[in-house]
Amino acid sequence: MHGAAISLARQFLTLTDMPDLILATDMLDLGVFLGLLRHRISDIPIVLYFHENQLTYPWSPVDQDPGLNRDRHYAFINYTSALAADHVCFNSHFHQQAFLEALPGFLQAFPDHQEIDLVHSIEQKSQVLPLGLNLKALDAARSTVPASKKQAPLILWNHRWEYDKNPETFFAILQKLSREGFAFRLAVVGESFGRRPAIFSKAKKDLHQHIVHWGYMEDGETYARLLWEADILPGTAKHDFFGVSVVQAIYCECYPLLPHRLAYPSHIPNPLHDQHLYADDAMLMAQLKQVLRQDKILPSPMLKKHIKQYDWSHLVHEYDELWEGICSTH
């Protein structure tokens, strides 16, 4: 979040043609970027897109900074970048609300010049613009899935192997199901960066008799085929501003069981909330047992119809209209 602003500014200075609009992400220190280019881009509108933010992103349990009440710098970069932008977009209603509600308390921690009234100015120029995904690209893999045989339901984990996705709860529930004699298969995919939570190694041993795949899939087609093969997606994350992997699995007709918080309620049609969203771990366990007892696991067609809203074929017009509107009024 520091060096990128300098590197990108240097690259921008080599351009011979100027863009109509600059789209920056939350990982850019926009104030530094604009300061280095103040003579070149004074008349170009700037849009800041928040896919995540450093203010409400959960701390790692091994990070000592929260207990020491230090290192607010990255969150402050997000704040000043939002101030500097002409327009601010968030990938979900949950994300927008979480960031704007957390800002006043964050600013109050500073001794003076808190400028809390500026939070309203950020809110006034912000909106929700969902992440556009190429969901239709997953369709090709559907025909490669073999005809279903009588097999135990396939439970899927397709998230990053990190603490914020709460693998401890996920595997604890599956281990309990295994001890109680429930039949299921398990596929655990997703990327791992650096040190992974120890629970993954333990779960691989404890649940070895259920595992049909374990580890990251380099090939997109193979991953898409697994999404179509999977039956149930129990989500346990402590954090998700949007949830790309969840949206992909729902599109491929995997049965979701998700916490009634974070961005997930937006991914489920309101009439199906009671069926697919849970309040606590006990409720997740009860719902999962109920689904595993079914002869056929068939998600409602309403789910896929609802999740199609995130495909680029639907969102591209919304993006184009927003960019054109900003450019025409700037």
Side-chain angles (χ1 to χ4, degrees):
M1 291 183 70
H2 294 289
I6 299 171
S7 299
L8 290 172
R10 291 187 67 185
Q11 294 176 34
F12 192 93
L13 288 171
T14 66
L15 298 179
T16 54
D17 296 320
M18 289 295 100
D20 297 314
L21 177 144
I22 294 175
L23 176 62
T25 77
D26 55 272
M27 297 303 290
L28 179 71
D29 189 336
L30 188 56
V32 171
F33 179 78
L34 294 177
L36 293 171
L37 299 173
R38 61 189 181 278
H39 301 304
R40 294 288 301 274
I41 61 173
S42 60
D43 60 342
I44 301 176
I46 313 291
V47 179
L48 182 68
Y49 190 91
F50 275 94
H51 181 60
E52 60 182 35
N53 77 79
Q54 302 302 307
L55 177 56
T56 62
Y57 196 96
W59 290 91
S60 165
V62 299
D63 200 319
Q64 297 181 0
D65 284 345
L68 298 173
N69 195 29
R70 68 185 183 192
D71 200 357
R72 302 173 180 268
H73 186 58
Y74 293 111
F76 196 77
I77 289 176
N78 282 163
Y79 165 62
T80 56
S81 294
L83 286 176
D86 297 300
H87 199 83
V88 180
C89 296
F90 293 87
N91 56 1
S92 68
H93 288 282
F94 163 73
H95 192 182
Q96 180 188 40
Q97 183 179 8
F99 182 74
L100 294 174
E101 288 182 353
L103 269 179
F106 170 73
L107 295 173
Q108 286 170 357
F110 293 91
D112 54 20
H113 298 286
Q114 297 168 343
E115 312 286 3
I116 294 176
D117 59 301
L118 290 177
V119 175
H120 181 67
S121 70
I122 296 174
E123 182 178 11
Q124 290 296 103
K125 60 181 177 181
S126 73
Q127 72 171 82
V128 175
L129 186 64
L131 194 64
L133 302 174
N134 190 10
L135 295 174
K136 289 184 178 180
L138 299 170
D139 291 339
R142 187 174 192 177
S143 61
T144 67
V145 177
S148 60
K149 300 177 182 178
K150 189 62 177 177
Q151 297 186 79
L154 178 58
I155 294 177
L156 175 67
W157 167 287
N158 64 330
H159 321 292
R160 287 180 286 105
W161 293 20
E162 294 192 23
Y163 65 93
D164 60 301
K165 300 306 179 185
N166 193 15
E168 289 80 8
T169 296
F170 178 85
F171 289 120
I173 286 177
L174 294 193
Q175 287 169 2
K176 185 174 181 180
L177 289 173
S178 181
R179 289 193 298 269
E180 294 183 12
F182 281 86
F184 63 90
R185 296 174 295 141
L186 175 62
V188 178
V189 299
E191 289 190 272
S192 176
F193 304 95
R195 183 170 54 185
R196 69 181 64 167
I199 187 62
F200 282 95
S201 297
K202 183 177 186 302
K204 187 177 182 180
K205 295 178 182 178
D206 295 344
L207 297 168
H208 67 93
Q209 71 272 29
H210 300 280
I211 295 172
V212 297
H213 180 86
W214 189 274
Y216 180 66
M217 285 182 165
E218 294 283 352
D219 180 59
E221 183 178 345
T222 305
Y223 170 66
R225 185 164 61 248
L226 177 66
L227 292 180
W228 287 110
E229 291 175 355
D231 297 297
I232 311 172
L233 181 78
T236 56
K238 298 177 181 178
H239 154 76
D240 233 339
F241 287 131
F242 182 79
V244 172
S245 61
V246 168
V247 169
Q248 291 173 331
I250 294 175
Y251 180 83
C252 294
E253 301 174 5
C254 194
Y255 194 101
L257 295 172
L258 306 168
H260 201 306
R261 52 186 172 80
L262 307 176
Y264 301 133
S266 296
H267 302 336
I268 306 295
N270 288 336
L272 300 180
H273 275 198
D274 290 344
Q275 185 177 341
H276 293 283
L277 300 176
Y278 64 84
D280 52 37
D281 294 348
M283 187 173 176
L284 170 59
M285 176 66 80
Q287 288 179 326
L288 191 49
K289 288 180 178 180
Q290 183 179 14
V291 176
L292 287 171
R293 291 188 180 109
Q294 296 177 9
D295 291 333
K296 285 189 177 181
I297 301 173
L298 299 174
S300 167
M302 290 176 60
L303 273 173
K304 185 167 184 176
K305 182 179 180 181
H306 181 81
I307 217 70
K308 283 181 179 179
Q309 66 178 302
Y310 302 125
D311 188 80
W312 269 120
S313 62
H314 297 280
L315 279 174
V316 65
H317 306 294
E318 187 174 345
Y319 273 72
D320 286 346
E321 288 176 6
L322 178 59
W323 306 155
E324 289 171 3
I326 292 173
C327 289
S328 64
T329 58
H330 185 70

